[in-house]
Amino acid sequence: MITIAEQQVEMYHCIPIPDGDWRDIFDTQAIKMALLHNMIIRGFNSLLYYSGEVQPGTKQLNSLLRYGQENCKFIHHHHENEETMYFPFLESKMGEGRMSSNVRGHEAFQKAFIAFEEHLNALIKDPSKWDVNAFRQKIHDFMPTLREHLIEEIDSLKSSEIAKHVNAEEFMEFEK
């Protein structure tokens, strides 16, 4: 009999890092964003993987659930920074609405993502309700849409397009 820990777990591939010069401020916009997005993907992949190795009533389960909460907080923080600082800066230089597809991308996975957060919070309150398959399904409910958004957002940060509208000094000042 195969245990839950031995089951094949569906994971999500990371985003290829865009080509470019890591020293060029325009090239690094997409490069750094891809790296941040891969941190998000890997965070949820690790939740999927390690969820098969924990049991109700253990410190390992509590640690996994708290780690899941931190992954969710990271996404909220990342998207809030994009929507309140990064995208407005880019739109002030490139034109209003240029980043609106990215904001719509944030909205596209929210319902299922919030359901996952609520599931995490319920499990923290009552870990006896732990069901690895339900936990994994909650992640699978939002991850395909989230991953697609993460890919599309990289495409909106093409260095050649940004460099037409923003000069390097403005970017360096913004990034301080």
Side-chain angles (χ1 to χ4, degrees):
M1 179 178 206
I2 295 176
T3 66
I4 290 173
E6 296 169 326
Q7 288 178 1
Q8 184 73 3
V9 179
E10 181 186 352
M11 303 270 206
Y12 297 89
H13 290 283
C14 286
I15 300 165
I17 304 302
D19 293 332
D21 181 348
W22 287 67
R23 296 164 300 198
D24 180 277
I25 196 156
F26 301 110
D27 287 348
T28 59
Q29 298 308 303
I31 291 169
K32 287 192 280 184
M33 191 67 76
L35 292 170
L36 281 170
H37 289 177
N38 284 339
M39 290 170 56
I40 292 168
I41 292 167
R42 287 184 173 143
F44 285 102
N45 278 344
S46 65
L47 286 167
L48 289 164
Y49 181 83
Y50 288 107
S51 62
E53 298 187 4
V54 297
Q55 298 298 320
T58 64
K59 288 182 180 180
Q60 290 82 8
L61 175 60
N62 185 53
S63 294
L64 181 83
L65 297 174
R66 298 292 179 175
Y67 172 67
Q69 281 185 318
E70 291 305 314
N71 275 270
C72 292
K73 287 178 188 176
F74 180 78
I75 288 179
H76 285 300
H77 178 75
H78 174 68
H79 287 165
E80 181 179 322
N81 284 341
E82 286 178 333
E83 291 180 20
T84 62
M85 293 185 291
Y86 189 58
F87 296 162
F89 170 76
L90 290 174
E91 286 190 343
S92 75
K93 306 298 179 184
M94 299 172 70
E96 191 173 330
R98 291 293 292 265
M99 298 290 128
S100 60
S101 65
N102 294 331
V103 175
R104 285 192 303 275
H106 295 171
E107 295 163 354
F109 70 91
Q110 278 304 305
K111 185 176 180 182
F113 181 69
I114 298 300
F116 173 69
E117 283 186 297
E118 290 170 352
H119 187 69
L120 270 175
N121 293 333
L123 288 169
I124 288 168
K125 287 180 185 167
D126 186 0
S128 70
K129 301 222 187 271
W130 173 251
D131 175 336
V132 66
N133 293 319
F135 180 82
R136 288 176 174 170
Q137 187 56 54
K138 290 287 186 188
I139 294 173
H140 291 308
D141 288 347
F142 71 85
M143 270 304 292
T145 306
L146 172 59
R147 186 176 180 281
E148 186 62 32
H149 156 68
L150 298 175
I151 292 167
E152 290 171 353
E153 196 168 87
I154 301 305
D155 290 339
S156 75
L157 300 175
K158 293 191 185 313
S159 61
S160 60
E161 188 61 27
I162 294 173
K164 291 178 191 174
H165 304 279
V166 185
N167 68 49
E169 292 77 25
E170 289 173 312
F171 244 128
M172 286 187 270
E173 185 63 30
F174 173 77
E175 289 189 342
K176 283 185 183 179

